[in-house]
Amino acid sequence: MYYLIKSSLTECTAEELHKGDHQYVAVLSIDEWQAQQSSFDMGIELDINPDDIHNTKAEVNYDSLTGTFSVPSRRDICGDDYQYAFALDEKGIVFIDSTGVVDRMLKRIARTKKWRVPCMERFIYDFLELIINRDLSILESYEKELDAIEDDMLDSSTETGLKRVNEIRSDLRELRIHYEQLIDLGQELSENENNFFKNENTRYFRLFTDRVTRLHDTATSLRDFTMQLRDMYHTQIDVKQNRIMTLLTVVTTIFMPLTLIVGWYGMNFRYMPELNTKWGYPGVIILSVLIIVGGLLFFKKKKWL
């Protein structure tokens, strides 16, 4: 697909694109790029292998600026990334993508964006902004979910809540790495080393970098929150275990004297006087009850119960 940057992104033919009347945007498959890259006259031999795309970055060349995108799917952040490459100069930008995601993004920009002062810088800003336009709502939904999990943990610690916290933490880790790479990309573009961009328009890249920085800070705060929730979960488990151990200790301590009495009178020596008195059995019962009540009162006074 070929587009010209006019008051909006306007679809065109290959012949119109190469006339040079307007800056252009092209999206080609890997095979199309290999067949047509000489016609774009960027002075590079860019061989794209999707298996070699692992991050988002930009590299400055003598006559061009090239780079790659590795963008997590917002539907499955820890799943497979969308991977594509780009090459640009002062005349336009070419995306090399065989997944179809860039084509969908360009069609959305063409449908929804109008520019008072059309330029390559504004198009790149809108393209980059489209990558992160849902992220604030995603982070806000994570925050609400973590708040709900925190309330549940305060009521009762469950493995289900901890499992979800770990899933969110993994997503936030992937997003933080993605944001760091986007920040580096924005800074590389704003440097404008080859003077492909108008200096007054590099502010778009700084605006994008500032926005991604805020998203990065939010993701970092939420990741810290997940760590706090994990610690709180383990603390809750420790508290419950301590309560159980306290109860077992109290029960054991109360019944230790009773165990002694049972052992003592279980010896059945011939001349044990309590065995022959009619009050021996009731007396042992009363003594046992007094020991239990006394033990309970003692532990209650010490606030161990």
Side-chain angles (χ1 to χ4, degrees), residues 141-152:
S141 67
Y142 281 159
E143 184 175 11
K144 292 178 181 178
E145 191 173 356
L146 291 173
D147 286 337
I149 292 174
E150 181 182 27
D151 293 337
D152 290 340

Side-chain angles (χ1 to χ4, degrees), residues 61-102:
N61 304 299
Y62 181 76
D63 288 327
S64 63
L65 183 68
T66 61
T68 57
F69 283 92
S70 184
V71 181
S73 169
R74 278 17 181 206
R75 294 187 180 89
D76 183 12
I77 294 175
C78 287
D80 294 334
D81 291 355
Y82 294 118
Q83 297 171 332
Y84 46 93
F86 71 92
L88 68 85
D89 59 14
E90 70 278 4
K91 299 186 293 295
I93 181 170
V94 181
F95 292 100
I96 303 97
D97 173 42
S98 297
T99 67
V101 64
V102 175

Side-chain angles (χ1 to χ4, degrees), residues 11-199:
E11 192 171 344
C12 68
T13 64
E15 292 75 15
E16 293 173 323
L17 180 140
H18 290 296
K19 282 183 179 179
D21 296 333
H22 299 276
Q23 290 179 307
Y24 63 81
V25 179
V27 54
L28 307 175
S29 67
I30 294 176
D31 293 337
E32 290 172 337
W33 168 252
Q34 290 174 347
Q36 300 179 33
Q37 61 176 308
S38 59
S39 65
F40 290 96
D41 192 27
M42 291 188 178
I44 55 170
E45 291 291 335
L46 184 61
D47 293 326
I48 303 299
N49 184 355
D51 295 332
D52 292 335
I53 299 177
H54 303 294
N55 52 20
T56 300
K57 63 180 181 179
E59 298 178 354
V60 178
N61 304 299
Y62 181 76
D63 288 327
S64 63
L65 183 68
T66 61
T68 57
F69 283 92
S70 184
V71 181
S73 169
R74 278 17 181 206
R75 294 187 180 89
D76 183 12
I77 294 175
C78 287
D80 294 334
D81 291 355
Y82 294 118
Q83 297 171 332
Y84 46 93
F86 71 92
L88 68 85
D89 59 14
E90 70 278 4
K91 299 186 293 295
I93 181 170
V94 181
F95 292 100
I96 303 97
D97 173 42
S98 297
T99 67
V101 64
V102 175
D103 189 42
R104 293 194 296 271
M105 294 172 69
L106 295 183
K107 288 179 179 178
R108 181 172 178 181
I109 292 173
R111 186 175 65 252
T112 60
K113 299 295 183 180
K114 295 284 187 179
W115 302 306
R116 187 179 298 275
V117 182
C119 61
M120 172 69 71
E121 298 86 347
R122 180 55 195 264
F123 162 76
I124 294 175
Y125 171 81
D126 287 336
F127 180 85
L128 294 174
E129 192 273 339
L130 197 57
I131 293 175
I132 61 171
N133 71 326
R134 293 177 51 207
D135 289 12
L136 184 58
S137 61
I138 291 174
L139 295 176
E140 288 176 347
S141 67
Y142 281 159
E143 184 175 11
K144 292 178 181 178
E145 191 173 356
L146 291 173
D147 286 337
I149 292 174
E150 181 182 27
D151 293 337
D152 290 340
M153 282 187 176
L154 290 175
D155 295 335
S156 60
S157 299
T158 60
E159 286 287 345
T160 303
L162 182 62
K163 180 180 179 181
R164 181 55 184 156
V165 168
N166 288 333
E167 290 174 352
I168 293 175
R169 180 170 175 266
S170 297
D171 287 350
L172 292 171
R173 182 185 64 246
E174 294 298 320
L175 285 175
R176 286 178 67 247
I177 294 173
H178 176 53
Y179 293 148
E180 289 168 1
Q181 295 173 0
L182 286 177
I183 290 171
D184 291 340
L185 175 66
Q187 291 174 343
E188 190 69 56
L189 293 174
S190 63
E191 285 293 326
N192 195 21
E193 185 174 336
N194 284 352
N195 293 316
F196 292 152
F197 310 118
K198 296 179 181 179
N199 288 327

